[in-house]
Amino acid sequence: MKIDTPAPDGAGVIAMAADLFLPAGNPRTLLWCVPGGGAARGYFDLAAGDTGHSFARRMAAMGHAVVAIDNPGIGESGEPPAPAAFTPRQAGDSHHHALAALRNRIPSLADLPAIAVGHSMGGMLVTLQQARNRSFAAMALLGSSASGLDWALTDEERGYIGDPDGLEAALPRLAEARFGGAFPRFRAANKELAAEIFGGGDPAVSAALRGIGDRMFAAGGVMSMVPGSFAAEAAAIDVPMFLAFGDRDIGVPWGEVPAAYPGAGDITILQLLATGHNHFGFSSIAGLCTRLDHWITAIGRAL
């Protein structure tokens, strides 16, 4: 489906593309699934609908309504009217408006507890969305944290660590320098390293992961890499959180991640063995989905 959301400053609309997966019976919750940088919404239905690697189909089978949505400018979603000036915080607002519009369109989803599921950069976007709009009753972040990727920064980008206002003003220039545009087709400079970081558990699923590759929301990619870029928003999160990391994931050690979310109070962490950054590409997806479902049941009274 397409969901029209208001563009920043009232400059028209952004048509956001989404897939809805429904359980056989009445859904228990609504999972709002946002992919990371360089990926389209097909990440949540990996391997052409093969249930084994499809997060969406697994969670729908457990009784949840699942929405997988393309970020603005990515996949089949429309670009914002001023692409170079579009910020990650505005992208988070777009997701909030899309969620509200979907609830209005489909009454059976209107009163369900909404839970964010953000992978990698998508975890940053749902964090911004929640801090600015309070869209969710709980949040699940997969391979995502507020700690950035200090080791991957350029000298210029490193100068904005801990300076969120300065970084936001510099994002158009930094995005152009790193990626070559606001929404470029993502191409890793080091293919061997990219395969190691972003590949799956076997050649077939690695090919499926390459198949859902898409353009990069460059400003979001840069911002998610700079430590401290959304520290205030992370600190404002006060709903239960589920954090999952592969043992071969990228980012800071998983034990350091909760410190950025002091207001959350209830934080559950799952480490996935023999798993890289793209969790759904590994056999550990079965345990991940089961544990996530159990966590949702456990926090049910808080939703």
Side-chain angles (χ1 to χ4, degrees):
M1 67 183 74
K2 290 291 183 72
I3 307 170
D4 285 345
T5 64
D9 302 321
V13 299
I14 303 171
M16 295 179 67
D19 294 328
L20 173 62
F21 301 79
L22 291 171
N26 294 327
R28 299 159 51 197
T29 66
L30 174 60
L31 306 184
W32 189 259
C33 301
V34 180
R41 68 188 189 277
Y43 177 67
F44 292 94
D45 189 27
L46 195 59
D50 170 27
T51 303
H53 288 286
S54 174
F55 174 86
R57 293 172 195 267
R58 282 181 175 272
M59 297 309 294
M62 294 177 184
H64 306 279
V66 180
V67 177
I69 187 163
D70 283 331
N71 287 309
I74 305 302
E76 295 180 299
S77 287
E79 279 193 3
F86 190 65
T87 71
R89 291 179 174 87
Q90 291 171 336
D93 292 346
S94 295
H95 279 286
H96 169 72
H97 292 306
L99 174 57
L102 179 69
R103 287 183 180 279
N104 287 333
R105 182 187 300 186
I106 305 176
S108 62
L109 304 180
D111 296 324
L112 291 178
I115 299 176
V117 182
H119 176 254
S120 196
M121 183 195 76
M124 178 190 73
L125 295 182
V126 296
T127 298
L128 298 174
Q129 176 182 354
Q130 175 69 2
R132 293 164 63 87
N133 301 286
R134 299 194 64 83
S135 305
F136 305 113
M139 300 181 65
L141 306 185
L142 311 179
S144 180
S145 78
S147 301
L149 294 175
D150 177 78
W151 58 268
L153 299 181
T154 65
D155 289 341
E156 183 178 16
E157 291 165 348
R158 192 168 285 109
Y160 291 99
I161 292 176
D163 180 13
D165 293 335
L167 175 66
E168 182 156 288
L171 277 176
R173 184 181 74 255
L174 297 176
E176 177 71 30
R178 175 175 280 273
F179 295 109
F183 290 95
R185 186 76 185 182
F186 179 64
R187 290 182 175 85
N190 186 325
K191 291 185 178 181
E192 184 175 337
L193 180 62
E196 179 181 342
I197 293 176
F198 300 114
D202 61 57
V205 77
S206 291
L209 283 164
R210 290 193 297 273
I212 55 86
D214 206 276
R215 294 187 293 171
M216 167 67 74
F217 174 29
V222 171
M223 183 170 164
S224 67
M225 294 170 64
V226 179
S229 64
F230 60 105
E233 288 91 348
I237 301 303
D238 60 359
V239 297
M241 298 186 72
F242 178 96
L243 308 176
F245 302 95
D247 60 355
R248 302 199 303 267
D249 219 323
I250 57 178
V252 300
W254 61 265
E256 299 177 13
V257 173
Y261 306 94
D266 184 339
I267 298 179
T268 295
I269 304 179
L270 175 64
Q271 186 178 39
L272 304 169
L273 300 180
T275 301
H277 184 55
N278 282 324
H279 306 157
F280 304 158
F282 298 84
S283 60
S284 58
I285 184 176
L288 167 61
C289 291
T290 298
R291 288 289 299 275
L292 179 59
D293 178 66
H294 289 173
W295 172 75
I296 293 171
T297 298
I299 65 169
R301 292 184 180 180
L303 299 179

